[in-house]
Amino acid sequence: MMTLRFAYAAFTACGRSHEANEDRALMDGILAGGRLPDESDNRQGTVSQPFLAAVFDGVGGSTCGDAAAQTAAEALELGFSYALKKGQPFDHALDAGIEACRIATSELQETINGTALAAVAGIAFDQDTATVFHAGDVRAFRFRSPYAMRLTRDHSLAQQYRDEHGEDAEVPADIAHVITRCLGDERLDQVDVENPVPVLEGDVFLICSDGIWDCVTDEEIEIALAEVAEVISSLNPESEEEADAEAEDAEQAPAPNATKVELALAMALDELVARAYSRNAYDDTTAVALCAVDIQET
């Protein structure tokens, strides 16, 4: 059996046009990001599988998008972890977490004076595979040198427009941010679960809300993730003798490789968020970046 260990960095910040952060990041706990413009929450570390990471985006126009995102994040984590503790197979545990999301956000509608909707994208990791799930326009990417690929396809009127008029077509403003799937609305809460994809050591994953991807290009995302991959490559000496020589020559004990990758991931998120802000992004900005730092036989 293959055992993966992942380095990660996660970030969320309240948008300049919002009174509360309507995004949530789920990565080794829930990141909320505060209730003031530009107030942020960030975290980095390592984690072993099985686990899942996700980004939730409270739908603009719903009166309680932040409550929907928080409720969905809590339900996903609890449903997934409880099923695993009960000895359920990994795919059943993922299904249980997603169903808990759907039920919790639906029940939330009955307790509030308004609407509470959220888009989601996440990746669940087990052994040497990654399973992507999503509803709405939160996006997931994987970088495997030399290219990045998008793992999700937006459930949105904008995507439908691009399908009809070409991927580079300018989307009309009145449909630019209208999604066709979300948690919290029984008519729209279908969550797509993709087939598992293999994970290789050095793969870099990114999940981000539209506060980021709407203001940066896929090419810029690819460049940021490629920089993480370069750090990983530099940490793999060509031979054990070279590694021993480097250790003897170092004045201080080097930081564990995972720590260096965590920093590289955090820097990649900083770069993407800075680019979004430089282009007058006003939406909440949230992302989780992860990398498989080792794969060991057990």
Side-chain angles (χ1 to χ4, degrees):
M1 180 181 295
M2 306 294 286
T3 299
L4 286 70
R5 188 165 59 105
F6 280 77
Y8 71 84
F11 174 91
T12 185
C14 185
R16 297 170 183 171
S17 63
H18 289 176
E19 295 181 356
N21 191 346
E22 296 180 343
D23 287 359
R24 296 292 184 272
L26 175 60
M27 183 63 246
D28 201 19
I30 298 171
L31 282 74
R35 299 182 64 87
L36 295 173
D38 300 333
E39 186 176 356
S40 66
D41 187 2
N42 60 80
R43 185 174 300 157
Q44 54 196 72
T46 57
V47 65
S48 298
Q49 54 83 29
F51 73 97
L52 52 78
V55 168
F56 300 82
D57 184 352
V59 174
S62 64
T63 54
C64 298
D66 55 338
Q70 180 72 28
T71 298
E74 292 173 352
L76 177 64
E77 183 176 45
L78 289 173
F80 176 73
S81 60
Y82 181 78
L84 286 179
K85 289 178 181 177
K86 286 294 186 179
Q88 293 288 324
F90 175 80
D91 56 342
H92 292 184
L94 177 57
D95 289 343
I98 292 171
E99 183 64 12
C101 261
R102 296 175 64 248
I103 293 172
T105 51
S106 179
E107 291 178 345
L108 179 63
Q109 308 299 322
E110 302 174 4
T111 66
I112 62 173
N113 182 23
T115 56
L117 309 175
V120 61
I123 310 175
F125 295 91
D126 180 50
Q127 298 181 26
D128 59 348
T129 64
T131 303
V132 176
F133 55 96
H134 64 111
D137 61 356
V138 180
R139 294 182 178 179
F141 299 81
R142 183 194 67 192
F143 179 85
R144 179 177 293 167
S145 185
Y147 304 114
M149 67 176 294
R150 196 189 305 175
L151 302 176
T152 55
R153 185 176 182 79
D154 296 346
H155 300 123
S156 68
L157 293 184
Q159 185 61 62
Q160 292 177 13
Y161 187 88
R162 295 188 191 100
D163 290 344
E164 295 175 4
H165 299 88
E167 199 60 35
D168 296 328
E170 184 175 350
V171 177
D174 60 337
I175 65 169
H177 298 283
V178 179
I179 61 175
T180 56
R181 299 268 189 92
C182 64
L183 299 167
D185 186 329
E186 293 181 352
R187 301 166 300 172
L188 305 175
D189 70 351
Q190 180 181 346
V191 178
D192 283 353
V193 180
E194 308 297 338
N195 292 326
V197 296
V199 178
L200 301 180
E201 184 173 0
D203 283 353
V204 186
F205 296 86
L206 174 72
I207 313 166
C208 61
S209 66
D210 61 350
I212 293 179
W213 66 253
D214 195 37
C215 296
V216 300
T217 66
D218 285 3
E219 290 76 15
E220 288 170 330
I221 288 173
E222 181 174 87
I223 291 170
L225 300 184
E227 291 172 353
V228 178
E230 289 180 6
V231 170
I232 296 167
S233 297
S234 72
L235 298 176
N236 295 322
E238 296 179 358
S239 66
E240 292 185 5
E241 291 79 7
E242 181 181 351
D244 292 340
E246 289 180 357
E248 290 176 2
D249 292 341
E251 294 182 1
Q252 298 178 343
N257 284 357
T259 301
K260 295 179 180 178
V261 178
E262 291 166 28
L263 293 173
L265 291 167
M267 291 177 64
L269 294 189
D270 287 345
E271 179 180 341
L272 293 173
V273 171
R275 284 182 181 272
Y277 282 170
S278 73
R279 294 165 185 170
N280 298 319
Y282 288 95
D283 202 356
D284 305 325
T285 50
T286 304
V288 177
L290 312 101
C291 179
V293 291
D294 59 21
I295 301 179
Q296 300 174 341
E297 293 283 356
T298 60

